[in-house]
Amino acid sequence: QVQLQESGPGLTKPSQTLSLSCTVSFGSITTNENYWWSWSRQPPGKGLEWLGGMSSSGTTYYNPSLKSRTSISRDTSKNYFTLRLSSVTPEDTAVYYCATWYGSGLRDWGQGTQVTVSS
C-alpha cells in the first residue's frame, strides 16, 4: 500500500553532490515502526547496489563501500526522505530507486529516476 516517488535533478556535475528526495504516500516514515526507508541504484549494465536506509526513528545504515560519501536524511513533517551522494564521478551514473524494507527484504519501490553525472 505504501507508495514512493523519487525526485531530483537528472544531471549532476562531477565532484558535486547528487541530491534526491523520496516522497512517501499511504505510510509514515516515523510511525511505520517496522519499516526502513532505503535507497538503491543500478548503473547501466550492472546489478542493483544498495546504498543505505533510515529507520522510523531516524537511525541510518549505509553500504560500507559508499558510506563516506552517502548521507540519508528526512523531513518528518513533510514525510519524505533524501539521498545525498557527494564527490560524484561518471561511475555514479545510474537509475536511483527509493524503496521500503520490511519482512524479508525490499518491498515497495519508487519508479526510479535516471541520474547522469557529466560536465
Side-chain angles (χ1 to χ4, degrees), residues 1-113:
Q1 293 294 318
V2 174
Q3 296 182 6
L4 304 94
Q5 182 172 327
E6 305 90 345
S7 62
L11 182 66
T12 303
K13 295 180 179 180
S15 81
Q16 300 301 305
T17 297
L18 181 158
S19 182
L20 299 171
S21 63
C22 181
T23 59
V24 176
S25 301
F26 304 105
S28 172
I29 61 174
T30 57
T31 62
N32 286 75
E33 61 186 14
N34 298 127
Y35 283 57
W36 284 68
W37 310 90
S38 70
W39 289 98
S40 301
R41 70 180 185 182
Q42 187 167 26
K46 298 182 179 180
L48 190 70
E49 181 180 33
W50 177 77
L51 300 174
M54 175 175 284
S55 76
S56 61
S57 66
T59 301
T60 53
Y61 188 36
Y62 300 108
N63 184 334
S65 68
L66 293 166
K67 183 177 181 179
S68 65
R69 298 197 291 129
T70 308
S71 178
I72 295 172
S73 59
R74 65 181 182 172
D75 186 325
T76 58
S77 66
K78 297 181 179 179
N79 204 38
Y80 71 81
F81 62 104
T82 67
L83 170 71
R84 293 180 175 85
L85 184 67
S86 65
S87 303
V88 297
T89 72
E91 285 67 44
D92 293 310
T93 294
V95 177
Y96 285 75
Y97 298 92
C98 57
T100 62
W101 170 283
Y102 64 92
S104 60
L106 298 169
R107 297 296 184 93
D108 308 294
W109 295 79
Q111 79 281 2
T113 186

